Amino acid sequence: MGSSLSTPTISVVIPVFNKWELTKACLESLAQHTPAGVVEVIVVDNGSTDETTHALAPLGKQLFGDLFAPIRWEENRNFGPACNAGAAAARAPMLFFLNNDTLLTPNWLPPLLEA
């Protein structure tokens, strides 16, 4: 694991609808507790009308660089379709679906990869 990987090990898919503060905290915790270059982060914005609309892409790029992919929908198509859209955009061999109200903690990833 490391930043030299051309393809990330795992794609993290996060469907969101508003609640920017939760999404921001989730992304920051993910970046803080995940080795660089290991995860691709795909956030599907399900028609948010709050700060998510303009703050998501800049923060995601700042935290994850080219391994961040925002998908923006103009209307809410619901949770399941957002998960499917994120999965369809994923490049890694493994998917991890994450709710935006989740905060990652140190060493969250190794047990997941072992399973």
Side-chain angles (χ1 to χ4, degrees), residues 7-12 38-40 42 87 89-96:
T7 301
T9 302
I10 188 166
S11 293
V12 178
V38 175
V39 300
E40 165 187 52
I42 302 165
R91 297 181 297 138
M94 289 186 279
L95 293 174
F96 181 58

Side-chain angles (χ1 to χ4, degrees), residues 9 34 72 84-85 95 108 114:
T9 302
T34 308
R72 166 82 180 147
N84 290 339
L95 293 174
W108 71 272
E114 288 171 17

